[in-house]
PDB file of all heavy atoms in Angstrom:
ATOM      1  N   GLU A 162      88.443  74.158-126.170  1.00 88.00           N
ATOM      2  CA  GLU A 162      88.953  75.090-125.161  1.00 88.00           C
ATOM      3  C   GLU A 162      89.858  76.138-125.786  1.00 88.00           C
ATOM      4  O   GLU A 162      89.841  77.314-125.388  1.00 88.00           O
ATOM      5  CB  GLU A 162      89.693  74.307-124.082  1.00 88.00           C
ATOM      6  CG  GLU A 162      88.796  73.400-123.252  1.00 88.00           C
ATOM      7  CD  GLU A 162      89.570  72.548-122.272  1.00 88.00           C
ATOM      8  OE1 GLU A 162      90.827  72.554-122.361  1.00 88.00           O
ATOM      9  OE2 GLU A 162      88.953  71.878-121.425  1.00 88.00           O
ATOM     10  N   GLN A 163      90.636  75.724-126.769  1.00 86.00           N
ATOM     11  CA  GLN A 163      91.552  76.662-127.419  1.00 86.00           C
ATOM     12  C   GLN A 163      90.786  77.731-128.182  1.00 86.00           C
ATOM     13  O   GLN A 163      91.126  78.927-128.128  1.00 86.00           O
ATOM     14  CB  GLN A 163      92.477  75.892-128.365  1.00 86.00           C
ATOM     15  CG  GLN A 163      93.626  76.723-128.915  1.00 86.00           C
ATOM     16  CD  GLN A 163      94.643  75.852-129.645  1.00 86.00           C
ATOM     17  OE1 GLN A 163      94.604  74.626-129.557  1.00 86.00           O
ATOM     18  NE2 GLN A 163      95.558  76.487-130.354  1.00 86.00           N
ATOM     19  N   LEU A 164      89.731  77.330-128.893  1.00 84.00           N
ATOM     20  CA  LEU A 164      88.939  78.297-129.657  1.00 84.00           C
ATOM     21  C   LEU A 164      88.111  79.186-128.734  1.00 84.00           C
ATOM     22  O   LEU A 164      87.945  80.387-128.999  1.00 84.00           O
ATOM     23  CB  LEU A 164      88.034  77.558-130.639  1.00 84.00           C
ATOM     24  CG  LEU A 164      88.743  76.840-131.793  1.00 84.00           C
ATOM     25  CD1 LEU A 164      87.742  76.069-132.648  1.00 84.00           C
ATOM     26  CD2 LEU A 164      89.518  77.840-132.657  1.00 84.00           C
ATOM     27  N   LEU A 165      87.601  78.603-127.657  1.00 86.00           N
ATOM     28  CA  LEU A 165      86.847  79.417-126.704  1.00 86.00           C
ATOM     29  C   LEU A 165      87.746  80.454-126.038  1.00 86.00           C
ATOM     30  O   LEU A 165      87.295  81.565-125.707  1.00 86.00           O
ATOM     31  CB  LEU A 165      86.209  78.511-125.641  1.00 86.00           C
ATOM     32  CG  LEU A 165      84.993  77.698-126.098  1.00 86.00           C
ATOM     33  CD1 LEU A 165      84.544  76.749-124.995  1.00 86.00           C
ATOM     34  CD2 LEU A 165      83.850  78.624-126.512  1.00 86.00           C
ATOM     35  N   ALA A 166      89.020  80.111-125.856  1.00 84.00           N
ATOM     36  CA  ALA A 166      89.968  81.081-125.310  1.00 84.00           C
ATOM     37  C   ALA A 166      90.138  82.248-126.277  1.00 84.00           C
ATOM     38  O   ALA A 166      90.273  83.402-125.853  1.00 84.00           O
ATOM     39  CB  ALA A 166      91.304  80.405-125.039  1.00 84.00           C
ATOM     40  N   GLN A 167      90.123  81.949-127.578  1.00 80.00           N
ATOM     41  CA  GLN A 167      90.204  83.009-128.587  1.00 80.00           C
ATOM     42  C   GLN A 167      88.994  83.939-128.487  1.00 80.00           C
ATOM     43  O   GLN A 167      89.123  85.169-128.563  1.00 80.00           O
ATOM     44  CB  GLN A 167      90.270  82.385-129.979  1.00 80.00           C
ATOM     45  CG  GLN A 167      91.495  81.535-130.250  1.00 80.00           C
ATOM     46  CD  GLN A 167      92.708  82.378-130.611  1.00 80.00           C
ATOM     47  OE1 GLN A 167      92.583  83.544-130.982  1.00 80.00           O
ATOM     48  NE2 GLN A 167      93.887  81.797-130.485  1.00 80.00           N
ATOM     49  N   VAL A 168      87.812  83.342-128.291  1.00 79.00           N
ATOM     50  CA  VAL A 168      86.593  84.142-128.159  1.00 79.00           C
ATOM     51  C   VAL A 168      86.662  85.018-126.916  1.00 79.00           C
ATOM     52  O   VAL A 168      86.295  86.188-126.928  1.00 79.00           O
ATOM     53  CB  VAL A 168      85.351  83.225-128.111  1.00 79.00           C
ATOM     54  CG1 VAL A 168      84.089  84.049-127.835  1.00 79.00           C
ATOM     55  CG2 VAL A 168      85.208  82.452-129.409  1.00 79.00           C
ATOM     56  N   SER A 169      87.186  84.420-125.822  1.00 79.00           N
ATOM     57  CA  SER A 169      87.267  85.161-124.567  1.00 79.00           C
ATOM     58  C   SER A 169      88.230  86.340-124.674  1.00 79.00           C
ATOM     59  O   SER A 169      87.966  87.422-124.147  1.00 79.00           O
ATOM     60  CB  SER A 169      87.719  84.216-123.449  1.00 79.00           C
ATOM     61  OG  SER A 169      87.873  84.900-122.228  1.00 79.00           O
ATOM     62  N   GLN A 170      89.325  86.151-125.391  1.00 77.00           N
ATOM     63  CA  GLN A 170      90.292  87.228-125.562  1.00 77.00           C
ATOM     64  C   GLN A 170      89.695  88.403-126.319  1.00 77.00           C
ATOM     65  O   GLN A 170      90.035  89.561-126.068  1.00 77.00           O
ATOM     66  CB  GLN A 170      91.527  86.700-126.291  1.00 77.00           C
ATOM     67  CG  GLN A 170      92.379  85.745-125.461  1.00 77.00           C
ATOM     68  CD  GLN A 170      93.547  85.182-126.259  1.00 77.00           C
ATOM     69  OE1 GLN A 170      93.769  85.560-127.409  1.00 77.00           O
ATOM     70  NE2 GLN A 170      94.297  84.267-125.636  1.00 77.00           N
ATOM     71  N   ARG A 171      88.800  88.073-127.256  1.00 73.00           N
ATOM     72  CA  ARG A 171      88.164  89.127-128.056  1.00 73.00           C
ATOM     73  C   ARG A 171      86.992  89.757-127.328  1.00 73.00           C
ATOM     74  O   ARG A 171      86.439  90.766-127.768  1.00 73.00           O
ATOM     75  CB  ARG A 171      87.686  88.544-129.387  1.00 73.00           C
ATOM     76  CG  ARG A 171      88.827  88.022-130.259  1.00 73.00           C
ATOM     77  CD  ARG A 171      88.294  87.168-131.388  1.00 73.00           C
ATOM     78  NE  ARG A 171      87.321  87.880-132.215  1.00 73.00           N
ATOM     79  CZ  ARG A 171      86.571  87.317-133.152  1.00 73.00           C
ATOM     80  NH1 ARG A 171      86.691  86.005-133.366  1.00 73.00           N
ATOM     81  NH2 ARG A 171      85.733  88.027-133.859  1.00 73.00           N
ATOM     82  N   GLY A 172      86.586  89.166-126.193  1.00 70.00           N
ATOM     83  CA  GLY A 172      85.468  89.694-125.427  1.00 70.00           C
ATOM     84  C   GLY A 172      84.137  89.537-126.138  1.00 70.00           C
ATOM     85  O   GLY A 172      83.205  90.303-125.882  1.00 70.00           O
ATOM     86  N   GLY A 173      84.033  88.556-127.012  1.00 70.00           N
ATOM     87  CA  GLY A 173      82.807  88.369-127.772  1.00 70.00           C
ATOM     88  C   GLY A 173      81.881  87.355-127.132  1.00 70.00           C
ATOM     89  O   GLY A 173      82.172  86.758-126.100  1.00 70.00           O
TER      90      GLY A 173
END
Side-chain angles (χ1 to χ4, degrees):
E162 293 175 351
Q163 190 170 348
L164 292 176
L165 286 175
Q167 297 279 342
V168 174
S169 177
Q170 290 177 4
R171 297 166 57 189

